[in-house]
Amino acid sequence: MDALLIEATEFSPKIYFNPTENKFEIRGESRPENTSKFYAQLIHWVEQWKMDLSANPPAKHFIFEFRFDYFNSTSAKFILDFLQKLNELVHLISDLKIGIRWYYDARDEDMRESGEEFSHLVDLPFEFVTL
């Protein structure tokens, strides 16, 4: 499975998904000009990964790290879509374990609350980490 690397811009986060390294990270600000198009790349990558995982069931626990500085309300909808796609994988592939590590600045309660809201909407375990 190829890694997905999208460099950060002023308006979009860095994406680094690399199953070989077992490293999955979204980092930065998310307010892309075309949010749907940006997050479609992530959803497409997960769809490809699903096929790979189905053919080669993993014996690993995957952690997706979210390190947002900021995201707008449109991005929130697509972040939830992405989390739901990961949630779907866990239900489709037995023994697959995916966890979420949600980083937030100690002074940014809104970011923590956003992570908590997402955690209530999917069946994935969340770990909250203060920066």
Side-chain angles (χ1 to χ4, degrees):
M1 178 75 197
D2 292 334
L4 176 65
L5 172 60
I6 302 171
E7 291 296 336
T9 69
E10 183 180 350
F11 304 107
S12 62
K14 175 184 177 181
I15 306 297
Y16 187 76
F17 296 163
N18 189 330
T20 304
E21 294 178 5
N22 196 10
K23 185 163 179 69
F24 306 89
E25 182 179 58
I26 300 175
R27 174 191 288 256
E29 288 201 20
S30 183
R31 48 187 173 106
E33 186 173 314
N34 187 334
T35 310
S36 174
K37 183 177 178 183
F38 180 82
Y39 280 94
Q41 300 169 90
L42 281 61
I43 299 293
H44 176 75
W45 187 88
V46 171
E47 288 293 330
Q48 295 296 313
W49 192 40
K50 179 173 75 176
M51 289 190 283
D52 190 58
L53 290 172
S54 296
N56 305 301
K60 291 182 180 178
H61 183 197
F62 300 103
I63 301 291
F64 280 73
E65 297 186 339
F66 291 75
R67 297 174 185 247
F68 285 111
D69 297 326
Y70 169 81
F71 58 83
N72 62 17
S73 58
T74 306
S75 292
K77 180 236 182 278
F78 289 98
I79 293 166
L80 179 58
D81 288 350
F82 179 72
L83 288 167
Q84 289 175 330
K85 189 58 79 176
L86 294 178
N87 196 56
E88 182 183 305
L89 281 181
V90 170
H91 290 285
L92 288 174
I93 301 170
S94 62
D95 297 330
L96 177 63
K97 293 181 173 58
I98 295 176
I100 305 300
R101 192 168 290 145
W102 187 270
Y103 291 87
Y104 67 98
D105 188 298
R107 298 167 292 178
D108 190 353
E109 280 300 311
D110 289 341
M111 187 60 70
R112 180 182 171 93
E113 289 174 11
S114 294
E116 289 173 348
E117 289 175 21
F118 287 133
S119 75
H120 296 301
L121 298 171
V122 294
D123 295 329
L124 302 170
F126 273 63
E127 175 187 359
F128 294 95
V129 180
T130 306
L131 297 172

